[in-house]
Amino acid sequence: MTSDATASRASPAGKIALVTGAARGLGVEISRQLAALGAHVIVAARDRRKAEDTVAALRAEGGSASAMKLDVTSEADRLAARDAIEAAHRRLDILINNAGILIDSPDGGTPAERQPSEARESDLRRTFEVNFFAPLRLTQTLLPLLRRSEAPRIVNVSSIRGSLTHLSDPTSPVYPIRALGYDTSKAALNAFTILIAEELRGTPFKINAVHPGWLRTSMGGDRADMSVADGAHTAVRYATLGDDGPTGGFFFLDERLPW
């Protein structure tokens, strides 16, 4: 792994940031950290009431935030999000594709209930809709607003379980999990990150995938070794890259991960 410790950071103060899946767990903490740094955070979630509760908490801490009802799998919701951001802000500076699901197993530390040879097509399709197609289509939908930013940043919240290197390494901690739906959906998200970053290389865009770590959330489980606050640091770090920062990479904290 190589280090990214030398890349500069840009203050998100005054920036407009959209965080999906922002009404619980990692999404809440990413929103909190961005708001604490001065960004206006659009807290997007399927349940508008939960999004509003998060916004109320951020405002109580002195942050700037607004709530948005956004089911990332709904084309109507994605278009409505674009129109609402256009009307309120005219641009978008930061997009964090955080929303995701895990249905292969009870939590991130438990091997899949079904081996790949027995995986259900319905589970695969449902997982890909949320973890791959939704961030793909939302990014495409919001690109016109991101192009209006002086320094657009896109962070795709992935997982080390989307690394083909780790999936094929018997010494890797993720090797025995074999969750076909989750792992391949994150691998596809990583591929999208590479391809769109290369398409937009040479522009102000910085587009990266991040592994937040194994977090103590409802998805990660109680045995996870990192707090949500620590996990959010990676997403926020790559959402606030300076002009000399990397693009088209896969990172955990300062380390570049193998695809």
Side-chain angles (χ1 to χ4, degrees):
M1 295 186 292
T2 57
S3 175
D4 179 49
T6 61
S8 66
R9 309 294 171 215
S11 170
K15 302 286 188 179
I16 308 301
L18 173 67
V19 183
T20 67
R24 65 175 186 169
L26 181 61
V28 171
E29 186 58 29
I30 291 171
S31 299
R32 177 178 290 114
Q33 291 186 20
L34 284 172
L37 291 171
H40 174 82
V41 182
I42 302 169
V43 176
R46 287 181 301 169
D47 187 325
R48 184 176 181 88
R49 178 171 295 181
K50 290 182 178 178
E52 290 172 345
D53 289 344
T54 300
V55 166
L58 296 183
R59 289 177 176 172
E61 296 170 1
S64 176
S66 55
M68 174 178 288
K69 190 268 183 186
L70 175 59
D71 177 347
V72 292
T73 66
S74 165
E75 181 69 4
D77 277 14
R78 293 191 295 260
L79 292 174
R82 179 198 63 192
D83 293 345
I85 297 169
E86 164 85 31
H89 306 289
R90 302 291 300 170
R91 76 181 195 281
L92 183 64
D93 300 297
I94 297 169
L95 170 61
I96 298 187
N97 287 310
N98 168 69
I101 61 170
L102 168 66
I103 59 177
D104 301 89
S105 57
D107 60 58
T110 303
E113 295 177 344
R114 292 173 177 267
Q115 288 293 312
S117 61
E118 302 170 333
R120 289 187 292 240
E121 181 180 345
S122 59
D123 290 344
L124 297 175
R125 290 185 178 277
R126 180 182 168 199
T127 301
F128 264 76
E129 281 296 327
V130 178
N131 292 359
F132 174 66
F133 288 110
L136 163 66
R137 290 293 294 125
L138 184 61
T139 300
Q140 291 174 331
T141 300
L142 297 179
L143 268 179
L145 297 179
L146 287 157
R147 290 182 189 277
R148 295 178 186 170
S149 173
E150 293 181 356
R153 303 290 181 260
I154 300 174
V155 176
N156 292 325
V157 177
S158 184
S159 169
I160 198 172
R161 287 168 53 177
S163 164
L164 300 185
T165 301
H166 277 272
L167 292 180
S168 59
D169 179 2
T171 68
S172 170
V174 306
Y175 179 81
I177 304 297
R178 297 195 185 113
L180 184 64
Y182 185 83
D183 298 352
T184 57
S185 70
K186 292 301 187 179
L189 182 63
N190 286 352
F192 170 58
T193 303
I194 293 171
L195 295 174
I196 193 170
E198 291 305 318
E199 175 190 351
L200 296 172
R201 191 175 290 277
T203 74
F205 276 85
K206 303 293 181 186
I207 306 173
N208 293 288
V210 301
H211 166 57
W214 186 19
L215 308 181
R216 290 187 292 275
T217 63
S218 58
M219 182 183 291
D222 295 337
R223 293 172 294 153
D225 57 5
M226 288 182 62
S227 70
V228 177
D230 288 338
H233 286 314
T234 302
V236 172
R237 189 174 194 81
Y238 291 90
T240 57
L241 285 172
D243 293 339
D244 62 341
T247 192
F250 184 24
F251 297 97
F252 171 58
L253 299 177
D254 287 329
E255 300 300 319
R256 184 182 290 266
L257 298 175
W259 295 108

